Amino acid sequence: MVTADTTAASSPTAAASAPTATSQATTALSAPTATLQPTAAVSAAMAASAAAPAFARMPVVERAALMHRVAGALDAAAGELVPLAAEETRLPAVRLTGELGRTTFQLRLYADEIASGRPLRERHDQAESSPDLFRTAVPIGPVVVFAASNFPFAFSVLGTDTAAALAAGCPVVVKTHPGHPRLSDRVHEIAAPLFPPGTLGLVHGEQEGREVLLDPRIKAAAFTGSPAGGRALFDLAASRPEPIPFYGELGSVNPVFVTRAAAARRGPSIWAGFADSYTLGLGQFCTKPGVLILPSSALDAAASAVAQALDGHAGGDLLTEKIADGFRAHRPRPSARAIFEGPPGEGRFAAPALFATTAGALRDDPQGLLEERFGPSALLVAYDEESSLEALAEIIGGQLTATVHAEDDDEVAPALVRSLAGVAGRVIWNGWPTGVTVSAAMHHGGPYPATTAPLHTSVGPAAIERFLRPVTFQDVPAAVLAILSSSREVDR
């Protein structure tokens, strides 16, 4: 609290007298000093910055061991954490138990990956006529992670972004999601003491998140959430005097393309699979297939089959009331007719919905029809000619995933898959995008607006590389390199 000294202003003598240089100096020395406490955001950034040098120098085997200990502590606390997560998110305990297991597996996988040295991508070039070059990677520095709503374990306090940054040797400040604040606090209470002080920080609130992002001690950011929120933070990160990498996952409708042959040979199973996939978890997955592009000749059968499947779906509570309000408020443009809509409900409740339109309408208004509706809603798009599929793929733009349901001998398939590889981070053949395997070959990313950094994945061991900065050492003696890089032995 800052208090002002009002004595001089209330004194007639003081007001009438012209101050001398001596009296000004005396006043300055005797005036009460303001005591300003740093905000929670500044304190967290300061602590992370202070922890960064030692954490970066920590041998990777020791860092990996810490991550294994944290994973074990979370597993041991499952009986406490899962009920707390269910209470805040209203997700089923079975789903949350599996997600916690995925999260601790992820921690161990990333720990083992950094211990192997693979993410450093080290190269050593020695030639008599050229300099001695040793290329490695160093931690980028403190990272702020903005937690997601829909995965309270796997994309939250100790989710994939945090695990990747810690594995890289970067302290992390997590900006929690308001959908599960008590769970976030408890996970932090369990994990933070197992790391060196300042390595894992936590802040609550939108303003605090902005402050951390703008703090000059923060060197990178990761985000999973809405396109509007992610773009605002991306722009904020770019506006800093020292812009920083912003690894944002923003939005994706994950289109599914069905060829004529596939619709004719196994249409019923495709329609049933689509209904199951887009309503899984009440449509709150980033990989939810929100658009099914199918032949006009199959539209009526598909619409009837999906509507019949939805008729037995009771709906349920979404993650937050804000998400539910957004789901009810956002409806496709008039060019999309309603095929099925469940009761609107109140509070967090949402029921499945299905709409249909034409490829021509989509070409005329791609932005309006393809805006992501987070929740159990999807759009059928009917096309007349298979030759239009490649152009539709380009209209749809950047996506996390794109799926093709086709036959092996479909003539249109190779060109369509090639086109989709140009707009999506993962192309799926005769399957469904919901479910993201945590493995070395996974790429969870894609061109904008799916993400702000299409060269990188946020899932799998390769996610670590986002927080490592390449450095080449030229003609530096091995003994010096060993001191500079005490975390690994340098083979010279």
Side-chain angles (χ1 to χ4, degrees), residues 20 58 61 104 125 132 205 250 273 294 312 330 372 396 402 410 447 466:
T20 64
M58 180 183 290
V61 174
T104 56
D125 294 337
D132 186 300
L250 308 188
L294 73 169
H330 173 67
E372 182 182 15
I396 287 174
D410 254 322
R466 294 175 295 168

Side-chain angles (χ1 to χ4, degrees), residues 251-257 291-293 362 366-367 370 381 389-399 401-402 420 423-424 447-450:
S252 183
V253 298
N254 306 296
V256 178
F257 292 77
V291 176
L292 183 75
I293 300 170
L362 182 63
Q367 185 173 357
L370 294 176
V381 178
L389 292 183
E390 289 183 63
L392 288 176
E394 294 179 6
I395 289 173
I396 287 174
Q399 304 291 327
T401 76
L420 293 177
V423 298
Y448 188 85

Side-chain angles (χ1 to χ4, degrees), residues 109 113 437-443 457 459-462:
L109 178 66
E113 182 73 5
T437 302
V438 182
S439 70
M442 175 54 65
H443 184 81
T457 180
V459 174

